Amino acid sequence: MPSTRFRLVVSIAALLLAVGLPLSTAFAQPVYGGTLIVGLADDPPQLDPHLTTANASRTVLHNIFATLVEIDAQMQIVPGLAESWSVSDDGLRYSFTLTPDVVFHDGTPVDAEAVAFNFARMMDPGFGSPRAAELAFVDEVVVTGPLTFEVIMSQPFAAFLPALASWTGMMVSPTAVQTSDNFEDVLIGAGPFRFVEQIRDDRVVLEKNPTYFREGLPYLDGVVYRTFVDGDSRVLNLESGALHIINTVPGRNVAALEKHPEITLSSVGGLGYRGFYVNTQSADLGNRERRRAVSACIDRQVIVDTVFGNAAVPGSSPFSPATWVVDLDDPVPPRDLDFARQMLAEAGVPDGFSFTMLITPDEESIRVASMMAAMCAEVGITINLQQTEFGTMLARLGDGNYTAAQVELSPRNDPDLSAYPWFHSEATNWGRLQNAELDDLLTRARAAVYQAERRELYRQVNEVLNVEFPYVFTYHMAEMKAYRNELKGYRHIPDSMMRFEDVWLADD
Amino acid sequence: MAIYLLRRLLTAVPIILLITAVVFAVMQILPGDPAVMLLGTEATEASLAATRERLGLNRPLHVQYLSWLGDVLRGDLGRSMIDNRPVTTAIANAFPVTLQIALISLVMALLVGVPAGIVSAVRRGGVADAVASLVALSGISLPGFWAALLLVYVFALQFDWLPSSGFVRPSEDLWGSFLSSLLPAVALGLRPAGVFMRLLRSSMLDVIRSDYVRTARAKGVGANLVVMRHALRNALVPLVTVLGVEFSALLGNVVVIDTIFAIPGFGRLIYNSFLRLDFVMMQSLLLLFALIVIAVNFLTDLSYSLLDPRIRYR
């Protein structure tokens, strides 16, 4: 007669076999060790999180500097260095509590004083941080205890927490800032990896942070970033095994990578948008009906199908379908040549007109712009394409010395940041549109605390934009990463940043 | 000869000064604001102004030029506007990389191009001539970036013989450094190899038909000796001219090759500084480039007298 204990052991063993085995195959045990080699598309120019504006830098920095809060794959705000927080009903007071016992790479504590130092650094006009714009509404940071602090706002700013999940929330070690000649040489944060060195124009090397505040992480011993500006070369090096993961997948390589047996192509909805800015004060496109005619000529679906395949979705909005703003059911306006002709007639140019569009000399821009030109030609609108490099285009956009310019607006993790800076008449507003209704809607959406209210306001923003067209929205790129199958546990977050705290390299 | 050297060096001075002025003027004509590139498009006007002030961009143009020129004459090339590293350090890191690849590339081009040129001239109209000419024309016509990708695909991906990218410094691993230079050097060398072959073939043909070669043959000098001693030496003068030109062209082509092979060389430095409107870095790089071209031309002229004793400089 088997003892009770024996039966217990047998049943536990059976249970483990039944549950554990399939689990272990589906979710293999993480393996410690190994160095991850990452292929970037641009060299990270600067690495001080409070000074750089380059996405290539930011994706590296997310692994060196922990942020106050984080975003998850659903774009919801989750705890980071701050374990909890609350917002007052009027949206003017944020109270944070920090995770206890967290230290920077130099052993100094991540406490409320350190956070206050970071805010002061970013808001110091003499320091010239690009982060100051996102902190413009911060009146005061009050330290209320060793691990608690409050941020007092001069007006509600709904994108504040999302900003703290990005480089504005990256905390640097105050001691390291004060004692180093050049902070960029040391880069002390509290993230899962420590900075080892940057060899300019070549590589950035990180090593495991053994004192990372998340128990047992990271799995990797280190991360090395290398840069491959050329897309084909980036993909070839991924295929050869010289790289484990690449951060930008060229559209023309998507189909081949989808079928590659050793590579995983991960795709989520991206947060950016593409199309072209229109100078609403220009001679050729100053008339609203002309702009509406141009937009009506464009078949967004055909452009996406021809040039991008699965790598993009058509759209007519600054808000990507990956955000909580847009319902996936929202229809994209179809091509409507009758409407275009009607608009041309109302504008007094029934036979059409011509204008010049600036484009950057990359293959995808040229193909998209050529297709747009062909589509518009059917109603007599001639688009002359003029190639110019990005720096020149930026200068001309800033001066208003252009009629139309194809420019991608980069992915941001809050709808306010995708719309307000680009279309409010007092912000960057390259379209030079003066529309009081749009300004009012954008301001109210920025101040609204609740998501439902903001969603409704952004819906109205989009309606105005699709009548006034300071920008002709065309499509949203999918956010893609390609990585070798030995890389496990990668969480793909739509903000395009690569976080490696919980990935590991399988032995095979 | 000494007088000639001195005169050449003296005439180089106004040329270099002119080049610095032109380079500086071109930088000013280029549209775009380094402060915007640095701070991003959402920067406030106040922070942009502060940055222009810090970079010295708000000073009058002639002050900017003269102050830069003065620093350059004192050997101070300034600091990068983007990442604040000294320009001399950046160049000291990047230039040896490019020089190594360019030299390996030229040596390989000569090793392939010269024998192929000789053989196709001597066996003119034969199969060897046809094959060599076809290969040479392909080398000249293939775009460098495409040849580079093809080389990576075949030798790194399919056969796994050579690294697909990156550069190993000779101080770390000499053999590894050679291997890492090989694919970029071949990609760079295809064109000069083809040019050398075509050029040597046509100048050899000229020489072979000349009177002194016919005389040498008539005296009973062996066929090989005629080719090597009489024909080749005289055919080398135009080759040396082209060698100088091709070396300068190689330095231009490294922009593409560095990009594809992810090499931290001169080309990468040029590419990044132009992309980011790093005026200080760009000016120094263009100046260095001009100096190299002047030096190479000078050496080329000097080598003529070594190859052909009839050429004398006064």
Side-chain angles (χ1 to χ4, degrees), chain A residues 425-468:
Chain A
S425 66
E426 285 169 14
T428 303
N429 191 27
W430 284 324
R432 295 182 145 62
L433 180 69
Q434 303 290 329
N435 184 303
E437 185 193 0
L438 182 63
D439 284 357
D440 178 57
L441 287 168
L442 286 169
T443 309
R444 280 163 55 204
R446 163 170 275 198
V449 175
Y450 298 103
Q451 226 172 55
E453 185 188 356
R454 295 184 71 201
R455 179 184 284 133
E456 178 50 34
L457 287 166
Y458 284 126
R459 188 182 293 279
Q460 294 174 36
V461 164
N462 205 32
E463 279 173 17
V464 178
L465 289 173
N466 273 281
V467 173
E468 295 291 341

Side-chain angles (χ1 to χ4, degrees), chain A residues 43 45-46 53 128 130 200-202 226-230 232-233 236-237 239-240 242 392 394-395 412 422 428 430, chain B residues 31-32 36-42 82-83 85 149 152-153 157 164-166 259-260 262 264 268-269 271-272 276:
Chain A
D43 277 312
Q46 302 142 305
T53 55
R200 296 277 181 190
D201 303 327
D202 189 19
R226 298 178 57 201
T227 301
F228 293 82
V229 180
D230 179 71
D232 291 318
S233 162
L236 274 176
N237 279 279
E239 291 181 276
S240 78
T392 311
L394 275 184
R412 304 302 296 269
W422 306 114
T428 303
W430 284 324
Chain B
V36 174
M37 298 302 280
L38 206 54
L39 294 184
T41 47
E42 288 161 65
I82 302 297
D83 53 39
R85 69 185 146 156
L149 288 173
V152 173
Y153 185 77
L157 205 58
S164 52
S165 62
T259 305
I260 288 178
R268 185 74 160 278
L269 203 56
Y271 177 88
N272 276 338
R276 295 169 189 156

